[in-house]
Amino acid sequence: MDTDTSDLLPISDESKFLNQPHKERWEKLRPIIVPLYMTKKGPEGKSLTITQVSAFMKTHYRFHAAESEYKNWFRKWGVRKRILTSEKNAIVSILGKRTYPGTSTSDITLGENKKVEKKQLRRYLSDQVRVAAQNHLERVPGVLLSYNLPYAAYIRASGLSSSNHSSPFTALGASPTYLTVHSPKDPRSPGEPAAPASPTMQLVREKLALDRASLFLQGRTKELLGTCGKEDRITLVNYFNDLNLYTFITTKYWGKGPRPWTAELVAALTSGSIENAAPLPPISDESSPGALIPEPEIPTQLCNWVVHILGDGVDTKEPEESDEERYFEIDKPRTWKNWPKDVAAGGAEAFARTFSKSIEEGAFSLASPDDLPLSLKAITQSVLQDSELLVVDACKAAIMAGNGTLVSSLCKEARKGFGYDLSAKIYSIHPFHLAAAYIDGGRSCCLVMESILVALGPGSLLRYNVNDLGHTVLDSLMVSILRSHTKISPDLVSRNFDPPDRFPGEEKCICGRWDADSPAVRQLFAQGFPRIPSSWKHMFCHTSVQAICHNVISLFGSPAIRLINADSGLFTRRCVECGLELRLGPLHTLVVVTFYLASRGMPGETLFGALALLVCLLSLGADPYLTKQISVGEILGNLPQDTCTHEPMNALDLMQAVPGDFVSGWTVECQTGWRCMLEVFCLAMGAGSDSTGDSRAPHELRGSIAEDHDWRRRQNYTSYSTCSLETRFGLHSGWLGLPCLDPKLGTVWAIIQTEFLTYRRIEAEDPWTSERFSMDALKDWLAGDVEELDMALMHGMVNTRSSCGWFESPSKTTGVIELTKHLSLFPCVEEVCKFPFTNMLGKEAETRGMYIVDYDSEGDSDSDDSDSDGYESVDESDEDDM
């Protein structure tokens, strides 16, 4: 036979190993047999068959073996000519990451001298590309908006940054050990154009682009980035971060201002002016934040706010409309005119079309789509061919942007237009948790959560209270408190966050001082910092307190009230001795949150917000007797963990177990707030003694009462037959089963609501609570040191209320919104004030205030007087109304 095997011929009798046993000669002759079989030594440049190999070895090495023996040894050595599908995909991935223009399949060797068979690979790639072109790629709900950080900030948040200069993605995209990659130098001279890729390499890149598009649409981000080289990773993450920001801005301001938005307008808004509209240079270093971008200014410490006000209690002006698109002040959104009604009338359908068009045309980014390392065509086809998921993606955008009206119309369209299947897809983005993470007390308060509940039905929370992280919706609200008002790191709160070093909703300030489109936030992220620095934060303020409490009321002042005592997924621990998982109840979690507000909170913290949330939860049925296995040392990190230290505790037990050395190290204000919470727990747990004749202390009552799981029935301490909420509306004994608290707790709840509904700091020097409210006076009264609660709010300022602390509107036929939609128990300003004394409708409200109009139950909450966002900025003309 005409073969080129001269390099494999024996050079001496010793090289034939004739004196070795037959079995041992296999390994000795392996360097001859394997290349003989695998490389192209046969006629016409083909590899030899096993028959030809056997004949060659007999003739030249006097090695006699049956063909079946060769097959067994080849199997043992892992030698084969056929390329497996996994190997073909690995070849595609490795070649695809190499940007050298002359890259070829000849640069890769499989196993022992096994060259890649181009025809076999090309046939496989052609089949794969053809099949992919015929079928649109599946995508998971919400994935289009999952890139909310630029590249440098993303890798730090994901824990992928490294202290050295090696790429953190090396392990993710490493070449398999069975592949050998040769790296020839670029033969071109400087300036010489690259030769066109071979047909096989063109197919390799097309197949890889489709694979990457599939990984993107499935949300497998780390795997996707592992298939890319560094420059491709930067391009990909920053491009889809541009999409996220563009969609956020379009959604947030839908119905006013520019139409449509462009990448240039987005750059102008996020830089603060047209003059500064050049996009920020992205930092690409994977090891440290960048230093090339100016340090962003620290946002103001003064909150924005939302005022709930009765529709007939304010003279709302018809919003101005304009068809002029060119001239407006980009950095002053409050001055933008509303779109004409005929333009804005499209609502959810028009927004979904705009969202789809932006993805298809790529107008959201200044980067070229041609530079993307994946198939944008395949992504666009997936978007266009699945209108249901497009609505889901639009819902996610509207929730994150805080546009309650758009959330409502999108959810309704999803539920009514597509039926149950799409409703299940909407739940897969966890809309309630998303609303809790992106809560905005300075712009929308509880409007987004209310919109979701109204559109999906108040009972929808019963099925979807826990998300894929194991967190309840109440947990998500607790996380928003910790994220915004403490220095605690995410890993101490939950080990399930993804990315692990970042709280959900980090780019959103709960009290409205910054948002995802704020220039300071964009500069911070561009520098490579994924989290908001502590210097930007402040104490748990009244705007945050109102937003948290109102969202809690929205959630649990409904058929979902039974979920208020669901186990928490935060601060979970596992006993290292016995392996028991230690989970907290909701009030236990609040105690831990309060601990961190006091110990790792911001200057000025008083724990007013924690106290407000405690009374709010108790008023809705949170069970202070609920007992959980808890290790104080595990949670606070102050005790050895080599023995079982957990024991059954209720929330009061947990508070009392916090070492005194911790508490004494807090500020006086936090110690006072902590004492108020202790007294509230004692009052809630011991208030039944007057009616039952049981004089036992709370800790003595705990064991016997805890056996009765009907906490909601037990909590009706007073004879609720005399409570106005029962006599007028049957809210205590009826379908809702709202607890009727002790009148003393009712008084606390009423004055707390009045305080956070009527006061904000106007100047930086102003106190965090008004002169009308006193935590010291409240502490003395709760502790029984004084008989009367002596603070200004108790002297004829607070309006008529029920004995359990809920306010009743003199202007409504009921004290709550009609139950035909969703029960709402949070009052408007007019309902808590006996006379006007709020400072939230003055001159400062023009730039810092918004109001949500609460129409009479017979009115229309979607009237034409309401802003396209579902809320309105406070006008100077409204100042005299309160």
Side-chain angles (χ1 to χ4, degrees), residues 31 64 286 328 470 482 555 652 857 861:
H64 299 270
E286 294 175 349
F328 52 86
L482 292 167
L555 291 165
L652 176 58
S857 59
S861 60

Side-chain angles (χ1 to χ4, degrees), residues 411-424:
C411 287
K412 287 178 180 177
E413 179 174 335
R415 193 182 189 199
K416 297 178 180 178
F418 299 103
Y420 177 79
D421 288 343
L422 183 59
S423 295

Side-chain angles (χ1 to χ4, degrees), residues 437-456:
Y438 286 85
I439 182 174
D440 187 350
R443 186 168 181 266
S444 56
C445 190
C446 52
L447 184 64
V448 173
M449 194 71 77
E450 283 279 303
S451 298
I452 298 171
L453 287 162
V454 169
L456 299 182

Side-chain angles (χ1 to χ4, degrees), residues 492-561:
L492 290 177
V493 181
S494 174
R495 298 183 178 93
N496 296 332
F497 289 129
D498 186 20
D501 193 30
R502 191 171 190 266
F503 287 116
E506 191 89 37
E507 63 270 32
K508 173 82 74 171
C509 176
I510 194 173
C511 53
R513 295 184 294 124
W514 66 79
D515 209 340
D517 59 342
S518 300
V521 172
R522 303 323 303 175
Q523 290 181 27
L524 186 76
F525 290 168
Q527 288 181 9
F529 295 98
R531 295 190 58 200
I532 298 299
S534 298
S535 60
W536 289 23
K537 303 176 184 181
H538 64 208
M539 67 158 285
F540 192 7
C541 59
H542 281 21
T543 293
S544 296
V545 174
Q546 175 180 312
I548 293 292
C549 288
H550 281 189
N551 274 270
V552 168
I553 294 169
S554 295
L555 291 165
F556 302 114
S558 75
I561 192 169

Side-chain angles (χ1 to χ4, degrees), residues 40-51:
K40 297 181 179 181
K41 301 289 186 179
E44 301 178 359
K46 297 181 180 181
S47 60
L48 299 181
T49 65
I50 292 180
T51 301

Side-chain angles (χ1 to χ4, degrees), residues 31 34-36 38-40 109-116 180:
V34 172
L36 194 63
M38 295 299 298
T39 57
K40 297 181 179 181
T109 302
L110 269 160
E112 300 184 36
N113 301 317
K114 179 180 179 181
K115 291 292 184 180
V116 175
T180 302

Side-chain angles (χ1 to χ4, degrees), residues 71-120:
K71 292 179 181 179
N72 289 335
W73 279 97
F74 285 154
R75 190 178 301 111
K76 179 179 179 180
W77 290 336
V79 173
R80 51 183 163 71
K81 292 182 177 179
R82 185 173 61 87
I83 304 176
L84 301 178
T85 299
S86 59
E87 293 171 337
K88 295 171 186 174
N89 291 333
I91 292 169
V92 170
S93 178
I94 296 303
L95 290 176
K97 289 199 296 184
R98 303 173 73 80
T99 57
Y100 166 61
T103 299
S104 167
T105 53
S106 300
D107 298 335
I108 292 185
T109 302
L110 269 160
E112 300 184 36
N113 301 317
K114 179 180 179 181
K115 291 292 184 180
V116 175
E117 178 59 50
K118 290 185 179 181
K119 289 183 179 180
Q120 186 182 153

